[in-house]
Amino acid sequence: MAVVSTAVVGVAVVVLVPKAPGWKRVEASFFAGDVFADVFPGLLRAFWLDVKIFAWSAPCILALAMLIALARNVRSPALFPLRLLAALYTDVFRGVPVILTIYLIGFGIPGLGLERPWNSPLLWGSMALVLAYSAYVAEVFRAGIESVHEGQRAAARSLGMSSRQTMTSVVLPQAVRRVVPALMNDMISLQKDVALVSLIGPIELLRQADVDKSLNANFTPYVAAAMIFLAVTIPLTRLADYLLHRQRRRTGATAVA
Amino acid sequence: MNGNGVREVALPKVELRHVTKAFGERVVLDEFDLVVDDGEVVCLIGASGSGKSTVLRCINLLEPIDDGEIFLDGNDIAMPGLDPDPIRQRIGIVFQQFNLFPHRSVLDNVTMAPRKVLGRGKAESAASATVLLTRFGLRDKADAYPDQLSGGQQQRVAIVRALAMRPEVMLLDEITSSLDPELVGEVLDVVRELKREGMTMLIATHEMAFAREIADRVCFLHDGVLLESGRPSELFDRPQQERTRQFLARVTGVTAR
Ligand SMILES: Nc1ncnc2c1ncn2[C@@H]1O[C@H](COP(=O)(O)OP(=O)(O)OP(=O)(O)O)[C@@H](O)[C@H]1O
Ligand SMILES: [Mg+2]
């Protein structure tokens, strides 16, 4: 049944859309085969920069987010200011649109007139991504930590384990396992938001597509760029869904969002 | 007895003096006194909410007390500022909900604290863990994960895990209350075995028949106060307090096993 209905809808789209009055114009400016063949290799090369930004930002995000989550979890009253600071951090960076963070940091800090390499928009753009995303990811980690039952902590502490040993050997392994699907989703968003860094200069995929669009007076480069993003994000999304599904089945519980 | 040649009355293994504990406004232990001698098995009985678990958790320093003193071999262990970890190593506790570490195998559950806290080697701790597991009929479960075990097996692993730290006192908090009736026996057998070895134990329980059988002394708690204590035959057959009589009438009427 699902197959039949999918086929019907598919055929309808293929047959009916080209019958629309403006289709010829749209086809010429969005699906021009020659423009596509022309710009595609250059776009792929530009995408390599997205991959690089992602590759160095993601580990920094995970590490910083973990530190913030741990800071939000400290129980000692003496360290309360740390806890407050971490809470403030997540509130601020989650409350500001990512793109604004990139503008403020990416234009602001190089504007201080620093020497190379400290004036690179690529560096500060990536930094802005790290700051913004670690606030989101910290909340994911924190939810994971809080989802570990208090009895686990009590059991570990009662055996004489320190609070640090309890965290690293008992709480975190369980917490991280639970949030893997949610982390995957954040990483997929990051993969897309890397393109925002282009707004402060670096020529990555989106920016390159912009340039190609102007040169060719044609929107096909955007379609090509979208296809490149999808080629990466769709498999990742499927993987994340699969992990989530497997986890639900295994624990019989809903994972932490 | 101590080493300076003077004969003294043997110190109690554990002693609580005027221990007061409140959660917010609610006073849960009110100037609570209790003495457990070396090698003695003491059962705590009383209605739900009377404070049995709280007594055990305070002794294990899982709950800070508001007032009073807790002595282990004559040393006050509840003084603020003391490092709780070395003290907890000497006191084992087993919980109603087992609280095994679900992400680690049975063997790892048992060896984790000896390795992390006492710095024992992997082979050494595995060897002593295997001896303990074998003794309690769990040898073939060493590589299993907690969720592959029955409740009775899980609880026996939890006991072995506590014993692996070679504690001087064991605190058992309703360790059979979340088990199916047919699994209760195997866990109680472990407790009998520990008594034969001369382990000092403080046991919170709803199993009156078991308390009568295993206890050297039974303590009846009511609203955070030790109302009455005595040998099982005294307390069960000739309770002095009206409250004790009411409680016993109620539970033996309902839970005749
Ligand atoms: N963490 C806590 N916060 C607030 N109140 C608590 C907490 N732990 C225990 N209490 C309260 O303290 C009282 C004594 O609880 P406790 O668990 O010691 O009773 P118990 O005798 O073990 O009962 P049960 O037989 O149900 O296990 C109860 O009224 C309980 O609600
Ligand atoms: Mg209790």
Side-chain angles (χ1 to χ4, degrees), chain A residues 85-96:
Chain A
L85 213 64
L88 191 70
Y89 178 97
T90 47
D91 283 353
V92 166
F93 282 101
R94 285 196 313 158
V96 174

Side-chain angles (χ1 to χ4, degrees), chain B residues 136-227:
Chain B
F136 295 110
L138 293 161
R139 184 184 187 146
D140 56 332
K141 300 294 177 197
D143 296 323
Y145 279 79
D147 63 1
Q148 298 167 318
L149 304 181
S150 73
Q153 290 166 338
Q154 290 190 51
Q155 194 57 295
R156 279 147 63 206
V157 172
I159 296 172
V160 167
R161 179 175 68 176
L163 291 175
M165 291 299 284
R166 311 215 169 282
E168 301 159 32
V169 185
M170 285 286 275
L171 312 174
L172 309 181
D173 191 1
E174 293 191 31
I175 58 172
T176 57
S177 289
S178 50
L179 296 178
D180 292 337
E182 72 270 20
L183 301 176
V184 168
E186 65 186 66
V187 172
L188 295 186
D189 281 342
V190 172
V191 183
R192 293 185 181 103
E193 162 92 17
L194 292 179
K195 174 164 171 134
R196 268 197 297 281
E197 282 184 356
M199 175 66 80
T200 309
M201 287 187 280
L202 187 53
I203 306 175
T205 185
H206 282 307
E207 307 257 350
M208 295 306 144
F210 180 66
R212 181 192 278 268
E213 168 204 328
I214 198 140
D216 298 313
R217 204 149 47 83
V218 180
C219 300
F220 174 68
L221 274 63
H222 179 78
D223 278 351
V225 175
L226 205 167
L227 260 199

Side-chain angles (χ1 to χ4, degrees), chain A residues 219-252:
Chain A
F219 291 109
T220 305
Y222 285 155
V223 175
M227 284 169 65
I228 293 175
F229 274 118
L230 287 176
V232 173
T233 50
I234 288 183
L236 283 178
T237 312
R238 289 289 128 239
L239 179 63
D241 284 354
Y242 167 75
L243 290 176
L244 188 64
H245 177 72
R246 200 182 62 172
Q247 180 160 53
R248 288 230 173 98
R249 225 181 31 216
R250 219 177 29 208
T251 61

Side-chain angles (χ1 to χ4, degrees), chain A residues 149-163 165 169-171 173-174 177-178 250, chain B residues 57 60 62 84-85 88-89 91 93 95 99-104 109 112-113 116-117 161-162 165:
Chain A
H149 194 268
E150 184 57 38
Q152 291 287 309
R153 245 180 262 262
R157 296 308 303 270
S158 77
L159 292 163
M161 290 167 68
S162 65
S163 59
Q165 289 168 330
S169 302
V170 174
V171 177
Q174 296 183 57
R177 233 165 273 211
R178 273 177 223 189
R250 219 177 29 208
Chain B
R57 292 174 60 86
N60 203 248
L62 289 170
D85 296 339
R88 291 198 182 112
Q89 293 165 31
I91 306 173
I93 185 165
F95 305 92
N99 296 346
L100 292 180
F101 307 133
H103 60 301
R104 303 299 283 277
N109 264 273
M112 184 186 285
K116 303 254 176 233
V117 177
R161 179 175 68 176
M165 291 299 284

Side-chain angles (χ1 to χ4, degrees), chain B residues 23 26 28 46-54 63 96 173-174 206:
Chain B
F23 291 106
R26 183 157 172 19
V28 175
S48 182
S50 56
K52 305 181 293 294
S53 299
T54 306
E63 298 287 357
Q96 180 177 344
D173 191 1
E174 293 191 31
H206 282 307

Side-chain angles (χ1 to χ4, degrees), chain B residues 35-55:
Chain B
V35 173
V36 183
D37 286 322
D38 198 10
E40 198 181 18
V41 175
V42 174
C43 282
L44 304 178
I45 63 171
S48 182
S50 56
K52 305 181 293 294
S53 299
T54 306
V55 168

